[in-house]
């Protein structure tokens, strides 16, 4: 078996450390910084020759070790440069573990002359030298097909039942609510896991980052509603959906959202909303703590997936 090596950039060092510790491994010493004009510079202080290298890096806003703001474009570029360095360092196999795949939202042309950035970004990652990809809760299942290699799309559904118990939501008395029609299939799968019902909030998006609810499909009356989504960005979809559920008779509303993008004043919006609680994972570091937002770590799940990919065991068996 090849030797394993774990590398990370600056997007989410806390998650990378947790994954390494779960795997009882150490991260390869590596300096990811930049030249004075902003170009990414990388120095890897250990040989990668002949190893199976896992590069752990979300494509998200973050802070560098020096506290400088890193944009989603900076962390994407760090990932690409890390892949290139690993390839040129003669790694035998490179797996990119991208807990949050930024740019995945634009996965189809909704109107003429729109880009499909999910395809562009996955192409770039593969072109940079990776053999396999792993991401968490992809914006849509078809993104897996945008690359001609193994693309593990790690679900978060197994984290939901123990999490909602903490706020007294009984699985059978909870309606899983998708915040838009695009998330309906995922919501149905979760509702089946909880042996409960599902509903869909129908949302209209007149322009990016703005949305309003038109109606709720399904019955939330007298039930606890659990909003289930992949991304919370401005928080608009979530806050509006929470209000729509309450207007339709829901007892309480909470949310489980995988990727806490939480731009601008999203955290304040969530705090001022009718949501009992927002649960998110740590695919993206939280910009600031909030008593309304609890983080459920994805590290144990990702560590198990990495272990299975490394040893050639079944990944799907982990989720049965
Ligand atoms: C959209 O299709 C996604 O699943 C999320 O619903 C969306 O990105 C959330 O955006 P915001 O928080 O800005 O409403």
């Amino acid at each position: 078996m090849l030797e394993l090596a774990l590398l990370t950039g600056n997007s989410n060092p806390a998650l990378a450390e947790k994954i390494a510790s779960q795997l009882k491994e150490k991260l390869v010493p590596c300096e990811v910084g930049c030249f004075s004009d902003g170009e990414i510079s990388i120095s890897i202080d250990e040989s990668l020759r002949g190893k199976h290298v896992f590069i752990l890096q979300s494509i998200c806003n973050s802070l560098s070790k020096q506290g400088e703001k890193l944009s989603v474009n900076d962390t994407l570029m760090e990932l690409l440069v890390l892949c290139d360095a690993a390839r040129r360092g003669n790694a035998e196999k490179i797996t990119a573990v991208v807990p949050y795949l930024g740019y995945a939202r634009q996965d189809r042309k909704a109107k003429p002359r729109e880009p499909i950035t999910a395809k562009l970004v996955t192409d770039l990652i593969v072109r940079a030298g990776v053999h396999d990809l792993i991401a968490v809760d992809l914006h849509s299942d078809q993104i897996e097909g945008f690359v001609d290699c193994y693309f593990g799309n790690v679900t978060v559904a197994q984290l939901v039942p123990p999490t909602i118990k903490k706020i007294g939501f009984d699985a059978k008395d909870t309606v899983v609510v998708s915040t838009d029609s695009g998330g309906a299939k995922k919501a149905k799968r979760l509702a089946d896991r909880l042996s409960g019902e599902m509903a869909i909030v129908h949302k209209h998006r007149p322009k990016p980052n703005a949305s309003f609810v038109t109606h709720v499909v399904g019955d939330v009356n007298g039930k606890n509603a659990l909003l289930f989504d992949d991304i919370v960005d401005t928080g608009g979809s979530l806050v509006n959906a929470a209000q729509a559920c309450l207007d339709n008779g829901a007892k309480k509303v909470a949310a489980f959202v995988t990727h806490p993008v939480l731009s601008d004043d999203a955290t304040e919006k969530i705090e001022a909303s009718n949501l009992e609680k927002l649960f998110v994972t740590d695919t993206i570091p939280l910009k600031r703590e909030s008593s309304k937002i609890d983080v459920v770590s994805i590290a144990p799940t990702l560590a198990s997936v990495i272990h299975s990919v490394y040893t050639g065991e079944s990944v799907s068996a982990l989720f049965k």
Side-chain angles (χ1 to χ4, degrees):
M1 196 186 279
L2 304 176
E3 210 181 307
L4 180 141
L6 297 173
L7 269 181
T8 189
N10 291 308
S11 67
N12 199 340
L15 177 64
E17 287 289 355
K18 272 192 199 163
I19 293 172
S21 134
Q22 291 274 335
L23 289 166
K24 299 190 173 45
E25 293 281 341
K26 288 218 154 35
L27 294 167
V28 170
C30 167
E31 272 306 314
V32 183
C34 52
F35 293 98
S36 52
D37 64 351
E39 279 180 21
I40 310 292
S41 72
I42 285 186
S43 160
I44 301 173
D45 301 333
E46 196 178 287
S47 171
L48 301 177
R49 188 174 304 283
K51 296 185 182 171
H52 187 164
V53 178
F54 288 83
I55 301 178
L56 316 171
Q57 173 88 338
S58 278
I59 300 173
C60 63
N61 292 346
S62 188
L63 291 176
S64 73
K65 278 182 206 133
Q66 291 72 34
E68 288 152 359
K69 279 191 180 165
L70 296 173
S71 71
V72 62
N73 300 324
D74 293 327
T75 54
L76 165 62
M77 202 60 206
E78 280 189 5
L79 170 63
L80 298 176
V81 177
L82 278 165
C83 293
D84 189 69
R87 181 164 56 103
R88 291 176 196 284
N90 216 1
E92 182 66 26
K93 194 161 184 203
I94 305 172
T95 302
V97 182
V98 191
Y100 174 60
L101 184 77
Y103 280 105
R105 270 181 281 189
Q106 299 174 78
D107 58 0
R108 74 203 153 90
K109 275 176 77 167
K111 53 180 202 291
R113 294 171 300 282
E114 278 190 344
I116 303 181
T117 55
K119 169 73 175 142
L120 173 67
V121 163
T122 48
D123 272 352
L124 287 171
I125 297 171
V126 172
R127 185 67 189 81
V130 311
H131 302 97
D132 291 327
L133 263 161
I134 297 169
V136 179
D137 198 6
L138 282 171
H139 185 60
S140 54
D141 293 341
Q142 73 262 20
I143 296 172
E144 280 180 53
F146 288 6
V147 292
D148 289 326
C149 61
Y150 170 73
F151 197 161
N153 180 12
V154 177
T155 174
V156 295
Q158 72 290 349
L159 302 176
V160 176
T163 301
I164 60 171
K165 245 190 202 167
K166 292 185 208 159
I167 50 164
F169 274 33
D170 174 50
K172 286 193 183 136
D173 193 31
T174 297
V175 184
V176 179
V177 182
S178 175
T179 60
D180 55 30
S181 48
K185 264 193 192 160
K186 265 194 279 203
K188 175 75 174 91
R189 286 198 289 261
L190 179 60
D192 288 347
R193 183 184 276 264
L194 298 174
S195 310
E197 299 294 317
M198 73 162 290
I200 303 169
V201 170
H202 195 269
K203 135 180 124 182
H204 178 59
R205 207 181 259 297
K207 57 177 186 179
N209 286 146
S211 67
F212 62 85
V213 172
T214 55
H215 51 280
V216 177
V217 183
D219 188 12
V220 293
N221 193 19
K223 303 263 180 67
N224 288 326
L226 177 72
L227 302 170
F228 189 49
D229 207 346
D230 59 330
I231 299 169
V232 49
D233 183 352
T234 64
S237 304
L238 217 53
V239 169
N240 294 341
Q243 190 56 51
C245 288
L246 291 171
D247 293 346
N248 281 268
K251 280 195 292 190
K252 287 180 180 172
V253 188
F256 192 108
V257 182
T258 309
H259 308 295
V261 174
L262 294 169
S263 343
D264 305 327
D265 62 347
T267 306
E268 286 75 12
K269 264 194 226 159
I270 303 290
E271 284 172 339
S273 75
N274 290 318
L275 281 169
E276 295 286 316
K277 194 64 110 181
L278 164 61
F279 297 102
V280 295
T281 76
D282 50 358
T283 55
I284 300 176
L286 269 195
K287 311 239 163 15
R288 78 164 173 83
E289 307 260 302
S290 163
S291 56
K292 245 285 161 83
I293 305 178
D294 280 9
V295 180
V296 182
S297 185
I298 194 72
T301 310
L302 277 177
S304 305
V305 171
I306 290 170
H307 182 266
S308 295
V309 168
Y310 173 58
T311 55
E313 287 164 56
S314 165
V315 172
S316 61
L318 298 171
F319 297 92
K320 277 187 183 144

